[in-house]
Amino acid sequence: MRKPRSTLITTAGAAFAAVLGLVVSLAGPTAGTAEAAPTGIRVSNGRVVEADGSDFVMRGVNHAHAWYPDRTAASLADIAATGANTVRVVLSSGDRWTRTSATEVSSLVGRCKAVKVICVLEVHDTTGYGEDGAATSLDRAADYWIGVRSALEGQEDYVVVNIGNEPFGNTGYGAWTDATKAAIGRLRGAGIDHALMVDAPNWGQDWSGTMRNNAASVLASDPDRNTIFSIHMYGVYDTAAEVRDYLHAFVDNKLPIVVGEFGDQHSDGNPDENAIMATARSLGVGYIGWSWSGNGGGVEYLDMVTGFDATRPTGWGNRILRGSDGIAATSRTATVYGGGGGSGGGTAPNGYPYCLSGGSSDPDGDGWGWESDRSCVVRGGAADR
């Protein structure tokens, strides 16, 4: 807010200002004050959309660039060839692993654009902060993003900034809300206008409900109202009811949610990947599976392909890439690349088609829309049963 020139105003001046204000309010804003058309990936009414208003439902794969930079070019091309519309790319702020430079970030964005996928860029050094002594804070992650801002400028249509991976473990996670708000504020203050993604605490799984219970206030703290929430679903989500309840808590309250990581098994329990993928499809929620290749330390089962070889898919890879509700079946290329966009199409449980993006409304709240001269079901609405 600008400082006023004077604290005094004459009565006549006040009256004139009131009349002028009434005229302006009736006539609408002048050309000089009109808002610019929104650009880039953004949140609209609880959905993730592109600049043209089309729904963008992420169907993607994680790739560990920070640890395997020499594998990135081929991996991005191979992931895109599966039909994925998104790649979540692991970067490092330099606090734990080798820093991903601004030049490198610019190259990564260019490679994503070349193979027509949306880049979700994430800082991995924050993983398990508060519990893992080697992890760094969201504030340090914000330092990193501000430091590579030049590589992000003008890429709002193609890039989502995932501030920090799994930014709190199971210790001190009560600080997640304030730390997340502060990081968002710093990025916005630095002129980073991209859609932001924030991971849940508790190693991403939010078993405490911290992100779920505070998501509305975090979104409201973003001056752009352009923050997407990311839940990681592993052993905590081993039943269909747990998956549905968590995702519905966001969708039903018009809060944007993405499953930023999940697998078909894990050391902390057996996630219900079928429920994760089916519920995401039903609700029009994005998901990004972990991960393309290169896992170690006893979790090699999370590789989708063996040895970064796209011709050697694993059981997990076949499931997520080619199975029911998988990437090949439900992914749509972003409209910025000339794709059809939409919310993945498909049929609701009641047999009617789901409404595609931007073409329907639900003014009476009954869950039904109208497109292409026929009724359609609004995802997550009252008729989606």
Side-chain angles (χ1 to χ4, degrees):
M1 179 182 292
R2 293 180 180 179
K3 183 178 179 180
R5 294 189 181 189
S6 173
T7 57
L8 300 175
I9 185 170
T10 66
T11 303
F16 175 76
V19 173
L20 179 61
L22 177 61
V23 171
V24 170
S25 68
L26 293 174
T30 64
T33 62
E35 284 189 16
T39 60
I41 297 168
R42 66 186 193 280
V43 172
S44 176
N45 197 31
R47 307 284 303 168
V48 180
V49 302
E50 294 188 69
D52 67 353
S54 296
D55 267 9
F56 182 65
V57 180
M58 296 182 191
R59 289 290 180 264
V61 173
N62 282 271
H63 167 64
H65 168 79
W67 309 314
Y68 301 102
D70 58 327
R71 299 284 194 174
T72 295
S75 293
L76 291 179
D78 289 339
I79 292 168
T82 70
N85 62 22
T86 303
V87 180
R88 182 171 179 258
V89 184
V90 175
L91 310 182
S92 174
S93 60
D95 291 283
R96 190 165 186 177
W97 299 284
T98 301
R99 179 183 172 89
T100 310
S101 68
T103 300
E104 206 173 345
V105 171
S106 183
S107 175
L108 285 166
V109 174
R111 290 187 184 280
C112 284
K113 291 165 71 173
V115 296
K116 299 184 178 181
V117 296
I118 297 301
C119 253
V120 176
L121 303 176
E122 60 103 341
V123 164
H124 215 77
D125 306 58
T126 56
T127 306
Y129 180 73
E131 184 173 350
D132 187 336
T136 195
S137 66
L138 280 174
D139 192 52
R140 285 288 296 159
D143 288 340
Y144 172 78
W145 291 116
I146 293 168
V148 299
R149 177 175 173 267
S150 61
L152 303 172
E153 289 177 335
Q155 305 302 327
E156 291 84 356
D157 285 335
Y158 308 96
V159 172
V160 174
V161 174
N162 191 172
I163 301 177
N165 183 69
E166 301 178 359
F168 285 87
N170 295 325
T171 303
Y173 57 83
W176 177 88
T177 303
D178 287 343
T180 300
K181 289 178 179 180
I184 291 169
R186 289 194 61 205
L187 267 58
R188 294 302 187 215
I192 295 175
D193 298 325
H194 300 65
L196 302 178
M197 185 179 287
V198 295
D199 283 7
N202 308 131
W203 299 94
Q205 297 200 76
D206 200 28
W207 56 260
S208 65
T210 301
M211 183 172 82
R212 181 194 61 215
N213 296 338
N214 293 283
S217 72
V218 169
L219 181 61
S221 78
D222 179 355
D224 293 351
R225 304 297 191 272
N226 197 17
T227 296
I228 303 162
F229 299 93
S230 174
I231 182 67
H232 294 182
M233 289 187 161
Y234 292 107
V236 171
Y237 299 92
D238 57 357
T239 69
E242 289 166 325
V243 172
R244 288 194 297 264
D245 288 350
Y246 194 88
L247 295 181
H248 267 287
F250 283 77
V251 173
D252 293 351
N253 287 289
K254 297 191 182 302
L255 294 166
I257 184 73
V258 167
V259 183
E261 287 187 20
F262 71 108
D264 65 340
Q265 55 180 308
H266 205 40
S267 56
D268 67 340
N270 184 13
D272 191 339
E273 72 278 5
N274 294 326
I276 293 168
M277 295 162 73
T279 305
R281 186 268 306 159
S282 174
L283 297 177
V285 164
Y287 65 67
I288 311 172
W290 185 277
S291 70
W292 186 242
S293 200
N295 289 287
V299 294
E300 291 83 357
Y301 50 77
L302 288 171
D303 283 358
M304 295 180 192
V305 300
T306 302
F308 292 93
D309 184 348
T311 68
R312 300 169 63 199
T314 64
W316 168 225
N318 276 321
R319 175 67 191 90
I320 187 172
L321 299 174
R322 302 180 180 89
S324 176
D325 300 315
I327 286 173
T330 63
S331 180
R332 300 292 183 272
T333 303
T335 59
V336 72
Y337 294 124
S343 54
T347 303
N350 62 16
Y352 283 84
Y354 281 117
C355 303
L356 298 176
S357 64
S360 63
S361 60
D362 183 18
D364 54 4
D366 66 355
W368 291 95
W370 183 261
E371 290 180 348
S372 303
D373 296 322
R374 62 178 181 178
S375 295
C376 58
V377 173
V378 176
R379 286 184 185 274
D384 192 9
R385 301 287 186 269

